Amino acid sequence: MRTSVVIVGAGPAGLLLGQLLHKAGIDNIILEQRSGDYVLGRIRAGVLEQVSVDLLEEAGAAERMHAEGLPHDGIELLFGGKRHRINLHELTGGKRVMVYGQTEVTRDLMEVRAKAGLTTVYEAQKVQPHDFETDAPRVTYEKDGVQHTIECDFIAGCDGFHGICRASAPKDKIKTFEKVYPFGWLGLLSDTPPVSEELIYAHTERGFALCSQRSQTRSRYYLQVPLTEKVEDWSDERFWEELKLRLDPEARERLVTGPSLEKSIAPLRSFVTEPMRFGRMFLAGDAAHIVPPTGAKGLNLAASDVGYLYTGLKQYYQSGSSEGIDAYSERCLRRIWNAERFSWWMTSLMHKFPDMNDFDVKVQEAELGYIVRSQAGSTSLAENYVGLPLL
Ligand code: RFL
Ligand code: PHB
């Protein structure tokens, strides 16, 4: 078998890349180790920057997002028991974010891919990239006990943090940067109306909480918890009681509780791989970097990597120039380090760290006060939150 680009991983990065390449007339095959249902069962990000919205449009997968997604013009910061609005729209000269779940993005991309009749091999086992430092790369995998080989021009490693592509890069050519945080987020999804029209990021003495949403009838809430916590020990009742303790009196009063549809704990990590290209293999999305979710950047970075990779590959196939693919790693990393900084900063500002003393808490509160009172402070948060322009 032969194709132009083998994409490893059918998460949002892999599916988006596949669709954009297809639109540009570049054939591709996606290999995914899990089933389609398993991929759709993972509840993750919920906030899209304009850059991601634009790429979904270009991929022809934006119809339902525009019909059902919720454009948001602001977010709320809760600290010292009070909420303060950050007017993203005004502070950024008219930008906003789109609240639309990663599950829905993935479903829409899967549907357009199926409609276009493109190949996605689900439940592909033992996927392995080979010879990507030569001009003749190939990828092998097993399906139903049968071994397959695909020859290709390029390999796109869109296989997430635990994927095989980064792990296959030569050890002497790869450098990684990492920071692990001493807590996680316990998330709960429920068919209840959101507590507030906009997202609430809460700094409290009991730890961080986030009130997010998927639609006008579906909410997503998160609580900062120690890494030692087990999801089995968190009944729905316990979750709702703890969330109430981290909200202001009005929100506490308005909160509608209900049975959970999903509940899970995600550890928080910052991680970057340099470079993101090894010969004819490129890494994109979580395969190359992780941000803590506080800045809502994970999915958006995956989309912008894909945007750069697609532009570079299109240029290569249409005009024979390798300028775009040669600049890929550097272009991505400039954007990634900005998002890493912002996500680390939001995480440091909003969470309760185990080694913090009273002084450290006062400094966090002073900084939060500065952000909401100062135009410069709130503009800095707003322009990073909606997404910095593509360079
Ligand atoms: P994904 O979504 O992890 O998809 C990678 C795909 O590759 C497959 N795969 C393989 N396929 C074949 N062979 C192999 N050897 C393979 N190894 C892995 C996997 O099964 C999977 O289908 O990466 P992608 O596409 O780069 O997308 C990135 C986003 O998913 C990610 O950045 C965000 O979801 C991060 N993230 C969150 N971001 C937010 O902005 N807000 C959140 O609330 C939020 N919550 C989360 C998250 C990430 C989590 N992870 C990765 C554990 C919660 C969790 C639990
Ligand atoms: C979510 O809705 O899952 C979400 C929203 C904003 C974040 C993180 C997660 O910062």
Side-chain angles (χ1 to χ4, degrees):
M1 223 183 329
R2 186 181 163 83
T3 190
S4 299
V5 183
V6 172
I7 300 170
V8 185
L15 287 167
L16 179 61
L17 180 64
Q19 202 56 27
L20 290 167
L21 291 177
H22 166 68
K23 288 246 155 184
I26 303 164
D27 58 319
N28 61 85
I29 293 175
I30 302 186
L31 301 176
E32 164 62 51
Q33 69 177 4
R34 304 285 191 173
S35 69
D37 283 345
Y38 182 95
V39 171
L40 283 175
R42 294 188 295 224
I43 310 295
R44 292 181 176 175
V47 176
L48 301 180
E49 296 174 8
Q50 190 61 44
V51 171
S52 310
V53 169
D54 292 346
L55 284 166
L56 286 166
E57 272 170 16
E58 197 165 343
E63 210 174 297
R64 202 159 63 92
M65 173 186 67
H66 283 304
E68 297 175 17
L70 305 168
H72 278 209
D73 287 349
I75 55 169
E76 292 189 291
L77 297 182
L78 164 55
F79 60 96
K82 288 201 190 70
R83 274 187 269 162
H84 306 261
R85 182 165 192 259
I86 302 290
N87 189 330
L88 301 173
H89 193 64
E90 243 171 46
L91 291 162
T92 59
K95 294 189 183 159
R96 45 170 65 100
V97 292
M98 175 74 90
V99 173
Y100 190 64
Q102 178 167 332
T103 313
E104 306 314 314
V105 171
T106 308
R107 192 192 310 279
D108 296 347
L109 286 164
M110 275 179 169
E111 270 172 24
V112 288
R113 187 167 178 88
K115 251 191 215 146
L118 305 178
T119 310
T120 310
V121 182
Y122 284 99
E123 296 174 316
Q125 303 306 310
K126 298 188 186 158
V127 175
Q128 182 64 55
H130 304 273
D131 302 334
F132 45 84
E133 295 197 287
T134 73
D135 284 343
R138 64 201 163 85
V139 180
T140 54
Y141 67 98
E142 266 182 42
K143 172 81 183 172
D144 302 328
V146 182
Q147 167 100 13
H148 300 265
T149 300
I150 313 178
E151 286 161 8
C152 57
D153 300 329
F154 298 102
I155 300 168
C158 301
D159 49 348
F161 184 63
H162 301 288
I164 188 65
C165 290
R166 190 183 71 249
S168 303
K171 300 283 168 282
D172 57 334
K173 292 193 179 145
I174 187 166
K175 181 162 170 59
T176 59
F177 304 81
E178 184 168 35
K179 188 173 181 70
V180 176
Y181 300 86
F183 41 74
W185 280 17
L186 168 64
L188 179 147
L189 186 73
S190 64
D191 272 334
T192 53
V195 66
S196 175
E197 263 177 47
E198 296 182 334
L199 271 60
I200 305 175
Y201 288 83
H203 173 275
T204 82
E205 49 185 45
R206 300 183 68 88
F208 172 77
L210 171 61
C211 305
S212 183
Q213 51 191 265
R214 291 291 178 270
S215 70
Q216 263 134 13
T217 54
R218 184 168 284 190
S219 300
R220 178 75 168 160
Y221 296 103
Y222 295 97
L223 294 174
Q224 175 189 351
V225 292
L227 283 171
T228 46
E229 287 297 315
K230 301 230 170 346
V231 74
E232 307 82 77
D233 295 334
W234 284 85
S235 65
D236 292 354
E237 290 69 31
R238 182 176 173 206
F239 184 98
W240 293 119
E241 282 317 306
E242 183 60 35
L243 179 61
K244 280 184 189 163
L245 292 172
R246 300 187 193 188
L247 295 179
D248 58 290
E250 193 204 332
R252 194 174 306 141
E253 189 71 19
R254 279 197 53 169
L255 181 73
V256 181
T257 63
S260 62
L261 303 170
E262 192 263 4
K263 223 169 6 188
S264 54
I265 296 180
L268 267 64
R269 178 194 305 272
S270 298
F271 179 87
V272 181
T273 305
E274 291 190 0
M276 287 168 59
R277 176 190 182 180
F278 303 90
R280 286 176 169 260
M281 179 171 79
F282 302 89
L283 304 179
D286 278 16
H289 43 77
I290 297 288
V291 285
T294 329
K297 290 283 166 260
L299 176 57
N300 292 301
L301 278 184
S304 55
D305 289 354
V306 164
Y308 289 128
L309 185 53
Y310 150 68
T311 309
L313 289 172
K314 191 166 70 164
Q315 197 181 16
Y316 176 86
Y317 282 103
Q318 289 181 353
S319 69
S321 160
S322 60
E323 188 265 328
I325 52 177
D326 289 345
Y328 170 72
S329 187
E330 200 194 317
R331 273 188 195 143
C332 289
L333 284 163
R334 236 183 297 159
R335 188 171 180 79
I336 289 158
W337 277 113
N338 274 302
E340 290 285 347
R341 184 211 65 84
F342 175 65
S343 305
W344 159 83
W345 173 78
M346 276 280 276
T347 304
S348 311
L349 177 68
M350 299 303 299
H351 290 78
K352 183 173 176 172
F353 286 71
D355 60 352
M356 265 170 60
N357 62 22
D358 293 350
F359 178 89
D360 301 318
V361 177
K362 286 283 185 192
V363 169
Q364 278 184 331
E365 288 171 354
E367 185 163 6
L368 282 160
Y370 167 72
I371 288 161
V372 300
R373 276 191 306 275
S374 150
Q375 172 101 358
S378 41
T379 305
S380 168
L381 193 161
E383 69 179 3
N384 279 281
Y385 192 86
V386 301
L388 295 173
L390 283 175
L391 293 172

